[in-house]
Structures are given as C-alpha cells and as structure tokens.
Amino acid sequence: ALKGDVQMQGAWGEMIVDTILTRLGFREGVEYTRQESFAGADGRARTDYIINIPGGERIVIDSKVSLVDFEAMTNAPDADVRKARLAAHARSMRTHVRTLSSKEYQSRVGTRLDFVVMFVPIEAALGAAASADETLILDALDLKVAIATPTTLTTVMMTVASMWKVERQHLHAEEIASRAGKLYDKFAGFVG
C-alpha cells in the first residue's frame, strides 16, 4: 500500500479505520456512516467517515493522507535524500491539513464539534512529519484539524463506544420502567 498511488494509500487507511470501528463494535449505518456527500455553495464534498455520537453530534474522519514522501524517505539511499523527502513529507501533511480545514466539513454535516479528524495510518509517519515541522500539530489544531494515528483514534473511538453503551443502557432502563408502569396499572385495575 505504501508503494502504491495516493488512492491506494487512502483505501489502505480506510481499511485500518474500518478495522478499528469493527473491533470496537461500531455498526455502519448506526454508529457511523461512510462516504456521505454534501452539497454547498462552493461545490460538493464527500466525507470518508462520520461517527455518530449519542445526542446528535458527529465526528468527521478523513483518511486520505499521502505517504509517498514518507515511503521515499524511509527507503532513501543517503542522508541528503532522506532529509529532502522528510521535508516534502512534512509539507504534504501541512497541505492536507489546510485542505481539510478549508472544506469545513463540520458545518456541512451539521455538528457543533468544530474539528475534523485527519487519520494518519502509520504512527511513525506523523512522528517524522512532526520532527521536521515542529508546529504542525498545533497549527493543525488552530485550523480545527485533529491529527490521529491508529492508537489515538482507537482511544477516541473507545470513548465514543462507551458513550453508546451508556445510551443503550438508558434506553433499556426507560423501556423496563415503561413496561413496569403498564404492568402495575393492569395489576391495580385487576385488584380494583
């Protein structure tokens, strides 16, 4: 996947996100959706993932990060080429952050959460970019883009999964209380 084109890398990133969501028990169409399109004054935009949160909020995840320069850096024959490819990799990440920020997915999907998650499928790729561009992560946050790796995305999704578990427990408790109330009413009517 790393040696493929950007589309192949994007598909590989999506496969990793799919794996994370599946392992945590997320169901497509319930707790998340894929490839939703939204029209706006500036054209159409399509999200990779939208994670639904109890209460109606939504988190947008984009998994199309180019790792072409990262792969070239890791396989570079000498230090000068590695340094140049590392700088190109950091620029590519920064460009993707700006592109995501400009799409304003948050307003398109109708959520008050004011950020989009940029998924980087290789922890070392983010670490390398951050070492070459020390303000990358903070600048991304200023632009309302949270950069996530498999570890950090899993942690966030575990939190969302816990929220869904609590939500389902509340729904079941309300249903039990409603049925108990109806049973009591029938019993009181019978006794009366």
Side-chain angles (χ1 to χ4, degrees):
L2 281 177
K3 293 184 181 282
D5 62 8
V6 174
Q7 283 185 330
M8 184 181 290
Q9 290 175 5
W12 179 62
E14 288 179 11
M15 183 189 74
I16 293 172
V17 174
D18 283 338
T19 301
I20 291 168
L21 296 175
T22 301
R23 285 187 176 178
L24 293 174
F26 282 75
R27 298 166 294 168
E28 187 171 354
V30 179
E31 290 90 6
Y32 76 98
T33 58
R34 294 189 65 193
Q35 308 291 326
E36 281 192 52
S37 293
F38 298 89
D42 57 344
R44 298 187 66 70
R46 188 172 69 172
T47 60
D48 290 338
Y49 295 88
I50 297 177
I51 307 300
N52 299 315
I53 301 175
E57 294 303 330
R58 306 170 95 193
I59 298 172
V60 177
I61 300 174
D62 179 87
S63 67
K64 290 180 180 71
V65 175
S66 173
L67 298 171
V68 172
D69 290 306
F70 176 74
E71 187 274 328
M73 177 203 71
T74 59
N75 294 314
D78 63 62
D80 289 337
V81 174
R82 274 193 298 279
K83 186 176 179 181
R85 289 303 217 163
L86 176 59
H89 171 59
R91 280 192 307 275
S92 173
M93 294 275 266
R94 185 173 282 278
T95 299
H96 194 66
V97 165
R98 281 193 215 109
T99 301
L100 279 179
S101 178
S102 71
K103 290 184 179 185
E104 297 182 356
Y105 282 130
Q106 309 88 309
S107 62
R108 290 177 189 251
V109 303
T111 183
R112 292 179 304 201
L113 299 177
D114 66 346
F115 65 92
V116 61
V117 175
M118 181 176 108
F119 180 68
V120 180
I122 300 175
E123 313 269 345
L126 178 57
S131 71
D133 183 349
E134 294 176 357
T135 63
L136 173 67
I137 294 171
L138 292 176
D139 291 347
L141 289 173
D142 288 341
L143 291 171
K144 311 279 190 228
V145 176
I147 304 174
T149 61
T151 301
T152 54
L153 184 64
T154 299
T155 303
V156 171
M157 293 301 103
M158 285 175 72
T159 302
V160 174
S162 294
M163 293 169 69
W164 275 112
K165 183 178 179 183
V166 169
E167 178 73 10
R168 285 198 260 317
Q169 288 173 342
H170 284 284
L171 290 174
H172 291 311
E174 288 175 9
E175 185 178 331
I176 290 169
S178 173
R179 286 184 181 186
K182 289 176 183 175
L183 184 60
Y184 174 79
D185 290 344
K186 284 184 178 183
F187 182 72
F190 175 75
V191 170

